[in-house]
Each structure stands twice: as C-alpha cells, then as structure tokens.
Amino acid sequence: QVQLVESGGGLVQPGESPRLSCATSASIFSFNAMGWYRQAPGKERELVATISSGGGTNVRNSVKGRFTISRDIAKRTVYLQMNDLEPEDTAVYYCNGRIGSAITGNNYWGQGTQVTVSS
C-alpha cells in the first residue's frame, strides 16, 4: 500500500516562503512521476508542479518563478518550495504519485495540507 503524507502547510502571511514536504512509503523511483496539485475553495483541483522519475520538472505558468519542485531520493520526499506567497495561493495542496502511464497508470494521493495566505 503506497502512502503519501504531506506536511508544511498552515497560515502564512503574504510574501512568506514556506516549503511543503511529501513523504512516500515507496521508493521515489517506483513512481513514473510525482507532483503537487492544489484546490482552492469553489475551484477545481489544478496541477501545480511535477517531477519525473528522471528528475525533469514542470511548473504551472501562473506560479513559475515562485514555486519550485524538488526531491530527496534518500529521504523518499518530494518538496514544493513556494516563494513570495499571495492570497491567491490559498488552497489545499495535495501530493500525487503516479505509477504507470498518464492514461492507464495508478494515481496515489496524500491527504492534503491546507495553505492559507492571509495577513
């Protein structure tokens, strides 16, 4: 049973730079890709950033330059560094890991961590 556990969310002020962590019970190389999604109140879940098994990364255009995804293979952890947060970044952030292809693979999700950006 693959488990993903997020941490690092909470209440932050605009301009702060918290880091989210996603610890996985399986080797990171078990996943074809891992990523972060977020869901704001009343909105659909959206992809924020991904990192492939080879280490290639992609970041959503709207947060490019502020958010960075990275990983520590030995710690089995994927990170989302979020810089200069804005109130519009308020959302529940979910860690995702996919085993298999994007079409037929299995997706695994963490429980989500709330990030609230407010002064």
Coordinates of all heavy atoms in Angstrom, one line a residue, residues 43-105:
K43 N -13.2 25.9 -6.5 CA -12.5 25.7 -7.7 C -12.1 24.3 -7.9 O -12.0 23.5 -7.0 CB -11.3 26.6 -7.8 CG -11.6 28.1 -7.8 CD -10.3 29.0 -8.1 CE -10.6 30.4 -8.1 NZ -9.4 31.3 -8.4
E44 N -11.8 23.9 -9.1 CA -11.3 22.6 -9.4 C -9.9 22.4 -9.0 O -9.1 23.4 -8.9 CB -11.5 22.3 -10.9 CG -12.9 22.2 -11.4 CD -13.1 21.8 -12.8 OE1 -12.0 21.6 -13.5 OE2 -14.2 21.6 -13.3
R45 N -9.5 21.2 -8.8 CA -8.1 20.9 -8.5 C -7.3 21.1 -9.7 O -7.6 20.8 -10.8 CB -8.0 19.4 -8.0 CG -6.6 19.0 -7.5 CD -6.6 17.6 -6.9 NE -7.6 17.4 -5.8 CZ -7.6 16.3 -5.1 NH1 -6.8 15.3 -5.3 NH2 -8.5 16.2 -4.1
E46 N -6.1 21.8 -9.5 CA -5.2 22.1 -10.6 C -3.8 21.6 -10.3 O -3.4 21.6 -9.2 CB -5.2 23.6 -10.9 CG -4.7 24.5 -9.7 CD -4.8 25.9 -10.0 OE1 -5.6 26.3 -10.9 OE2 -4.1 26.7 -9.4
L47 N -3.1 21.3 -11.4 CA -1.8 20.8 -11.3 C -0.9 22.0 -11.0 O -1.0 23.0 -11.7 CB -1.4 20.1 -12.6 CG 0.1 19.6 -12.7 CD1 0.4 18.6 -11.6 CD2 0.3 19.1 -14.1
V48 N 0.0 21.9 -10.1 CA 1.0 23.0 -9.8 C 2.4 22.7 -10.3 O 3.0 23.5 -11.0 CB 1.0 23.2 -8.2 CG1 2.1 24.2 -7.9 CG2 -0.3 23.6 -7.7
A49 N 2.9 21.5 -10.1 CA 4.2 21.1 -10.5 C 4.4 19.6 -10.5 O 3.7 18.9 -9.7 CB 5.2 21.8 -9.6
T50 N 5.3 19.2 -11.4 CA 5.6 17.7 -11.5 C 7.1 17.5 -11.6 O 7.8 18.4 -12.0 CB 4.9 17.1 -12.7 OG1 5.4 17.7 -13.9 CG2 3.4 17.2 -12.6
I51 N 7.5 16.3 -11.1 CA 8.9 15.9 -11.3 C 8.8 14.4 -11.8 O 8.1 13.6 -11.2 CB 9.7 16.1 -10.0 CG1 11.1 15.8 -10.2 CG2 9.1 15.3 -8.8 CD1 12.0 16.3 -9.1
S52 N 9.5 14.2 -12.8 CA 9.5 12.8 -13.4 C 10.5 11.9 -12.7 O 11.3 12.4 -11.9 CB 9.9 12.9 -14.9 OG 11.2 13.2 -15.0
S53 N 10.5 10.6 -13.0 CA 11.4 9.7 -12.4 C 12.8 10.1 -12.7 O 13.8 9.8 -12.0 CB 11.1 8.3 -12.8 OG 11.1 8.1 -14.2
G54 N 13.0 10.7 -13.9 CA 14.3 11.1 -14.3 C 14.8 12.4 -13.8 O 15.9 12.8 -14.0
G55 N 13.9 13.1 -13.1 CA 14.2 14.3 -12.4 C 13.8 15.6 -13.2 O 14.0 16.7 -12.7
G56 N 13.2 15.4 -14.3 CA 12.7 16.6 -15.1 C 11.5 17.2 -14.4 O 10.7 16.5 -13.8
T57 N 11.5 18.5 -14.4 CA 10.4 19.2 -13.7 C 9.6 20.1 -14.6 O 10.0 20.6 -15.7 CB 11.0 20.1 -12.6 OG1 11.8 21.1 -13.1 CG2 11.7 19.3 -11.6
N58 N 8.3 20.3 -14.2 CA 7.4 21.2 -14.9 C 6.7 22.0 -13.8 O 6.2 21.4 -12.8 CB 6.5 20.5 -15.8 CG 7.1 20.2 -17.1 OD1 7.5 21.0 -17.9 ND2 7.3 18.9 -17.4
V59 N 6.5 23.3 -14.0 CA 5.8 24.1 -13.1 C 4.7 24.9 -13.8 O 4.9 25.4 -14.9 CB 6.7 25.1 -12.4 CG1 6.0 26.0 -11.4 CG2 7.8 24.3 -11.6
R60 N 3.6 25.0 -13.2 CA 2.5 25.8 -13.8 C 2.9 27.2 -14.1 O 3.6 27.8 -13.3 CB 1.3 25.8 -12.7 CG 0.0 26.4 -13.2 CD -1.0 26.4 -12.1 NE -2.3 26.8 -12.6 CZ -3.1 26.0 -13.3 NH1 -2.8 24.7 -13.4 NH2 -4.3 26.4 -13.7
N61 N 2.5 27.7 -15.2 CA 2.9 29.0 -15.7 C 2.6 30.1 -14.6 O 3.4 31.0 -14.4 CB 2.2 29.4 -17.0 CG 2.9 28.7 -18.2 OD1 4.0 28.2 -18.1 ND2 2.2 28.6 -19.3
S62 N 1.4 30.0 -14.0 CA 1.0 31.1 -13.1 C 1.9 31.2 -11.8 O 1.8 32.2 -11.2 CB -0.5 30.9 -12.7 OG -0.6 29.6 -12.0
V63 N 2.6 30.1 -11.5 CA 3.5 30.2 -10.3 C 5.0 30.0 -10.7 O 5.8 30.0 -9.8 CB 3.1 29.1 -9.3 CG1 1.7 29.3 -8.8 CG2 3.3 27.7 -9.8
K64 N 5.2 29.9 -12.0 CA 6.6 29.8 -12.4 C 7.5 31.0 -12.0 O 7.0 32.1 -12.1 CB 6.7 29.6 -14.0 CG 8.0 29.1 -14.5 CD 7.8 28.7 -16.0 CE 6.9 27.5 -16.2 NZ 6.9 27.1 -17.6
G65 N 8.6 30.7 -11.5 CA 9.5 31.7 -10.9 C 9.3 31.9 -9.4 O 10.1 32.5 -8.8
R66 N 8.2 31.4 -8.9 CA 7.9 31.5 -7.4 C 7.9 30.1 -6.8 O 8.4 30.0 -5.7 CB 6.6 32.1 -7.1 CG 6.5 33.6 -7.6 CD 5.3 34.3 -6.9 NE 4.0 33.7 -7.4 CZ 3.1 33.1 -6.5 NH1 3.3 33.1 -5.3 NH2 2.0 32.6 -7.0
F67 N 7.5 29.1 -7.5 CA 7.4 27.7 -6.9 C 8.4 26.8 -7.6 O 8.7 26.9 -8.8 CB 6.0 27.1 -7.2 CG 4.9 27.7 -6.4 CD1 5.0 28.9 -5.7 CD2 3.7 27.0 -6.3 CE1 4.0 29.5 -5.0 CE2 2.6 27.5 -5.5 CZ 2.8 28.8 -4.9
T68 N 9.0 26.0 -6.8 CA 10.0 25.0 -7.3 C 9.7 23.6 -6.7 O 9.5 23.5 -5.5 CB 11.4 25.4 -6.9 OG1 11.7 26.8 -7.4 CG2 12.4 24.5 -7.5
I69 N 9.7 22.6 -7.5 CA 9.6 21.2 -7.1 C 10.9 20.6 -7.1 O 11.7 20.8 -8.0 CB 8.5 20.5 -7.9 CG1 8.2 19.1 -7.3 CG2 9.0 20.3 -9.4 CD1 7.1 18.4 -8.0
S70 N 11.2 19.8 -6.0 CA 12.4 19.1 -6.0 C 12.2 17.8 -5.2 O 11.1 17.5 -4.7 CB 13.5 19.9 -5.3 OG 13.1 20.2 -3.9
R71 N 13.3 17.0 -5.0 CA 13.1 15.7 -4.3 C 14.4 15.3 -3.6 O 15.5 15.8 -4.0 CB 12.7 14.6 -5.3 CG 13.8 14.3 -6.3 CD 13.3 13.3 -7.3 NE 14.4 12.9 -8.2 CZ 14.3 12.1 -9.3 NH1 13.1 11.5 -9.5 NH2 15.3 11.8 -10.0
D72 N 14.3 14.5 -2.6 CA 15.4 13.9 -1.9 C 15.1 12.4 -2.0 O 14.3 11.9 -1.3 CB 15.5 14.4 -0.4 CG 16.7 13.9 0.3 OD1 17.1 12.8 0.0 OD2 17.3 14.7 1.0
I73 N 15.9 11.8 -2.8 CA 15.7 10.4 -3.1 C 15.9 9.5 -1.8 O 15.1 8.6 -1.5 CB 16.5 9.9 -4.3 CG1 16.1 10.6 -5.5 CG2 16.4 8.4 -4.4 CD1 17.0 10.4 -6.7
A74 N 16.9 9.8 -1.1 CA 17.3 9.0 0.1 C 16.2 9.2 1.1 O 15.9 8.2 1.9 CB 18.6 9.5 0.6
K75 N 15.6 10.3 1.2 CA 14.5 10.6 2.2 C 13.1 10.2 1.7 O 12.2 10.3 2.4 CB 14.5 12.0 2.7 CG 15.8 12.4 3.4 CD 15.7 13.9 3.9 CE 16.9 14.2 4.7 NZ 16.9 15.7 5.2
R76 N 13.1 9.8 0.4 CA 11.8 9.5 -0.2 C 10.8 10.6 0.0 O 9.6 10.5 0.3 CB 11.2 8.2 0.4 CG 12.0 7.0 0.2 CD 11.3 5.7 0.8 NE 12.1 4.5 0.5 CZ 11.6 3.3 0.8 NH1 10.5 3.1 1.5 NH2 12.3 2.2 0.5
T77 N 11.3 11.8 -0.3 CA 10.5 13.0 -0.1 C 10.5 13.9 -1.3 O 11.6 14.1 -1.9 CB 10.9 13.7 1.2 OG1 10.8 12.9 2.3 CG2 10.1 15.0 1.4
V78 N 9.4 14.5 -1.6 CA 9.3 15.5 -2.7 C 8.9 16.8 -2.0 O 8.0 16.8 -1.1 CB 8.2 15.1 -3.7 CG1 8.0 16.2 -4.8 CG2 8.7 13.8 -4.5
Y79 N 9.4 17.9 -2.5 CA 9.2 19.2 -1.9 C 8.5 20.1 -2.9 O 8.7 20.0 -4.1 CB 10.5 19.8 -1.4 CG 11.3 18.9 -0.4 CD1 12.4 18.2 -0.9 CD2 10.9 18.9 0.9 CE1 13.1 17.4 0.0 CE2 11.7 18.1 1.8 CZ 12.7 17.4 1.4 OH 13.4 16.6 2.2
L80 N 7.8 21.1 -2.3 CA 7.3 22.2 -3.1 C 7.7 23.5 -2.4 O 7.2 23.8 -1.3 CB 5.8 22.2 -3.3 CG 5.3 23.3 -4.2 CD1 5.7 23.1 -5.6 CD2 3.7 23.3 -4.1
Q81 N 8.7 24.1 -2.9 CA 9.2 25.4 -2.3 C 8.3 26.5 -2.9 O 8.3 26.7 -4.1 CB 10.7 25.6 -2.6 CG 11.2 27.0 -2.1 CD 11.2 27.1 -0.6 OE1 11.6 26.2 0.1 NE2 10.6 28.1 -0.1
M82 N 7.6 27.2 -2.1 CA 6.8 28.3 -2.5 C 7.3 29.6 -2.0 O 7.4 29.8 -0.8 CB 5.3 28.0 -2.0 CG 4.8 26.7 -2.3 SD 3.1 26.4 -1.8 CE 3.3 26.4 0.0
N83 N 7.6 30.5 -2.9 CA 8.2 31.8 -2.5 C 7.2 32.9 -2.8 O 6.4 32.8 -3.7 CB 9.5 32.0 -3.3 CG 10.6 31.1 -2.9 OD1 10.6 30.5 -1.8 ND2 11.5 30.8 -3.9
D84 N 7.3 33.9 -1.9 CA 6.5 35.1 -2.1 C 5.0 34.8 -2.3 O 4.4 35.2 -3.3 CB 7.1 35.9 -3.3 CG 6.5 37.3 -3.4 OD1 6.1 37.8 -2.4 OD2 6.6 37.9 -4.5
L85 N 4.5 34.1 -1.4 CA 3.1 33.7 -1.5 C 2.1 34.9 -1.5 O 2.4 35.9 -0.9 CB 2.7 32.8 -0.3 CG 3.2 31.3 -0.4 CD1 2.7 30.5 0.8 CD2 2.7 30.7 -1.7
E86 N 1.1 34.6 -2.3 CA 0.0 35.6 -2.4 C -1.3 35.0 -1.9 O -1.5 33.8 -1.9 CB -0.1 35.9 -3.9 CG 1.1 36.4 -4.6 CD 1.1 36.5 -6.1 OE1 0.1 36.0 -6.6 OE2 2.0 37.0 -6.7
P87 N -2.3 35.8 -1.6 CA -3.6 35.3 -1.1 C -4.2 34.3 -2.1 O -4.9 33.4 -1.7 CB -4.4 36.6 -0.9 CG -3.4 37.6 -0.6 CD -2.2 37.3 -1.4
E88 N -3.9 34.6 -3.4 CA -4.5 33.7 -4.4 C -3.9 32.3 -4.4 O -4.4 31.4 -5.0 CB -4.3 34.3 -5.8 CG -5.0 35.6 -6.1 CD -4.5 36.8 -5.3 OE1 -3.3 36.8 -4.9 OE2 -5.3 37.7 -5.1
D89 N -2.8 32.1 -3.6 CA -2.2 30.8 -3.5 C -2.9 29.9 -2.4 O -2.6 28.8 -2.2 CB -0.7 30.9 -3.1 CG 0.1 31.5 -4.2 OD1 -0.1 31.2 -5.4 OD2 0.9 32.4 -3.9
T90 N -3.9 30.5 -1.7 CA -4.6 29.8 -0.7 C -5.3 28.6 -1.3 O -6.1 28.8 -2.2 CB -5.6 30.7 0.0 OG1 -4.9 31.7 0.8 CG2 -6.5 30.0 1.0
A91 N -5.1 27.4 -0.7 CA -5.7 26.2 -1.2 C -5.3 25.0 -0.4 O -4.4 25.2 0.5 CB -5.2 26.0 -2.7
V92 N -5.9 23.9 -0.6 CA -5.4 22.7 -0.1 C -4.4 22.1 -1.1 O -4.8 22.0 -2.3 CB -6.5 21.7 0.2 CG1 -6.0 20.4 0.7 CG2 -7.5 22.3 1.2
Y93 N -3.3 21.8 -0.7 CA -2.2 21.3 -1.6 C -2.1 19.7 -1.4 O -2.0 19.3 -0.2 CB -0.9 21.9 -1.3 CG -0.8 23.4 -1.8 CD1 -1.6 24.4 -1.2 CD2 -0.1 23.7 -3.0 CE1 -1.5 25.7 -1.7 CE2 -0.1 25.0 -3.5 CZ -0.8 26.0 -2.8 OH -0.8 27.2 -3.3
Y94 N -2.2 19.0 -2.5 CA -2.1 17.6 -2.5 C -0.9 17.1 -3.2 O -0.5 17.6 -4.3 CB -3.4 17.0 -3.2 CG -4.7 17.3 -2.5 CD1 -5.4 18.5 -2.9 CD2 -5.2 16.5 -1.6 CE1 -6.6 18.8 -2.3 CE2 -6.4 16.8 -1.0 CZ -7.1 17.9 -1.4 OH -8.3 18.2 -0.8
C95 N -0.3 16.1 -2.6 CA 0.8 15.4 -3.2 C 0.3 14.2 -4.1 O -0.7 13.6 -3.6 CB 1.8 14.8 -2.2 SG 3.2 14.0 -2.8
N96 N 0.8 14.0 -5.2 CA 0.4 12.9 -6.1 C 1.6 12.1 -6.6 O 2.7 12.7 -6.8 CB -0.3 13.5 -7.3 CG -0.6 12.5 -8.4 OD1 0.3 12.4 -9.3 ND2 -1.7 11.8 -8.3
G97 N 1.4 10.8 -6.7 CA 2.4 10.0 -7.2 C 1.7 9.0 -8.2 O 0.6 8.5 -8.0
R98 N 2.3 8.9 -9.4 CA 1.7 8.1 -10.5 C 2.6 6.9 -10.8 O 3.8 7.2 -11.1 CB 1.4 8.9 -11.7 CG 0.9 8.1 -12.9 CD 0.4 8.9 -14.0 NE 1.4 10.0 -14.5 CZ 2.4 9.7 -15.3 NH1 2.6 8.5 -15.7 NH2 3.2 10.7 -15.6
I99 N 2.0 5.7 -10.8 CA 2.8 4.5 -11.2 C 2.1 4.1 -12.5 O 1.0 3.7 -12.5 CB 2.7 3.4 -10.1 CG1 3.4 3.9 -8.8 CG2 3.4 2.2 -10.6 CD1 3.4 3.0 -7.7
G100 N 2.9 4.1 -13.6 CA 2.4 3.7 -14.9 C 2.2 4.9 -15.8 O 2.7 6.0 -15.4
S101 N 1.5 4.7 -16.9 CA 1.4 5.8 -17.8 C 0.4 6.8 -17.4 O -0.4 6.6 -16.5 CB 1.0 5.3 -19.2 OG -0.4 4.9 -19.2
A102 N 0.4 8.0 -18.0 CA -0.6 9.1 -17.7 C -2.0 8.6 -18.0 O -2.9 9.1 -17.3 CB -0.2 10.3 -18.4
I103 N -2.2 7.7 -18.9 CA -3.5 7.3 -19.3 C -4.0 6.1 -18.4 O -5.2 6.1 -18.0 CB -3.5 6.9 -20.8 CG1 -3.0 8.1 -21.7 CG2 -4.9 6.5 -21.2 CD1 -3.8 9.3 -21.6
T104 N -3.2 5.2 -18.2 CA -3.6 3.9 -17.6 C -3.0 3.7 -16.2 O -3.3 2.7 -15.6 CB -3.3 2.7 -18.5 OG1 -1.9 2.6 -18.7 CG2 -4.0 2.8 -19.8
G105 N -2.1 4.6 -15.8 CA -1.5 4.3 -14.5 C -2.3 4.6 -13.3 O -3.5 5.0 -13.4

